[in-house]
Amino acid sequence: MSSPRAAADEDGRSQVIGVSIPVPAPHAAELTAWREDFGDPLARSIPPHITLLPPFPLAPGTLDTARDHLEATAAAGTPFDVHLRGTATFRPVSPVVFIQLARGISECELLQAAIRTGPLAAEINFPFHPHVTVAHDVDEAALDRAELVLRDWEATFTVKGFSLYEHGADGVWRPREDFTFQQ
């Protein structure tokens, strides 16, 4: 998730959502510390995650409709395992180094496709590629270091659902609600 342009809610406040699979503890704390160490200015603003719906400006009064859609999507989902392993990069297209998924890719693809329908349908700028960002908008030396230092990093966890996040006026993404798979 990055910094989006926002739509206004009923009270005139900006309301931008994102949906992702949060990386659980203790892995999240470790990846946040690494992201800080690489000099990433968003390390404390964006919790480690696998994005399913990038920043999405909501039309005023549509949060309940979006929530209903996410609830229905979660009700049809089943838990799956994710194995994060090693680094890769989106350079030269985007200054990003990330941890790759070695397992759980197809499950993430199916889940994001289900989420990005109905009230959350939107075109995306790049093909969906599930990953966990560890360095973004830092200099080339920091990107190189992130790619090298974490090349053997790995973690495995079970995905039991996904989370709705809201982008605050302060630029921080905050969890708003969790949606648990029902099957």
Side-chain angles (χ1 to χ4, degrees), residues 1-166:
M1 290 184 268
S2 60
S3 296
R5 288 194 339 236
D9 67 10
E10 302 85 26
D11 300 325
R13 294 175 303 186
S14 295
Q15 190 166 37
V16 173
I17 63 165
V19 178
S20 66
I21 298 168
V23 173
H27 315 300
E30 182 180 358
L31 291 175
T32 296
W34 277 115
R35 195 166 174 171
E36 270 187 314
D37 188 60
F38 301 136
D40 190 320
L42 299 176
R44 292 283 170 193
S45 300
I46 303 175
H49 66 281
I50 301 167
T51 299
L52 299 171
L53 178 73
F56 189 90
L58 286 176
T62 61
L63 180 59
D64 286 342
T65 303
R67 285 184 64 262
D68 290 347
H69 173 66
L70 293 172
E71 198 168 272
T73 302
T78 57
F80 61 93
D81 291 332
V82 163
H83 183 178
L84 302 174
R85 182 178 60 210
T87 54
T89 183
F90 290 131
R91 294 184 285 179
V93 175
S94 181
V96 174
V97 170
F98 58 88
I99 302 292
Q100 303 180 85
L101 271 71
R103 182 174 179 195
I105 295 169
S106 61
E107 293 90 339
C108 287
E109 290 173 338
L110 292 169
L111 184 56
Q112 70 85 29
I115 287 170
R116 292 179 180 182
T117 62
L120 300 178
E123 289 190 34
I124 54 176
N125 296 333
F126 300 100
F128 179 70
H129 182 85
H131 66 280
V132 178
T133 298
V134 291
H136 183 218
D137 285 337
V138 296
D139 63 37
E140 288 294 318
L143 291 170
D144 290 343
R145 189 159 97 42
E147 197 168 1
L148 179 65
V149 168
L150 295 177
R151 72 175 176 219
D152 295 323
W153 191 91
E154 62 183 299
T156 302
F157 59 93
T158 300
V159 176
K160 297 177 182 174
F162 52 86
S163 298
L164 170 65
Y165 290 80
E166 187 169 0

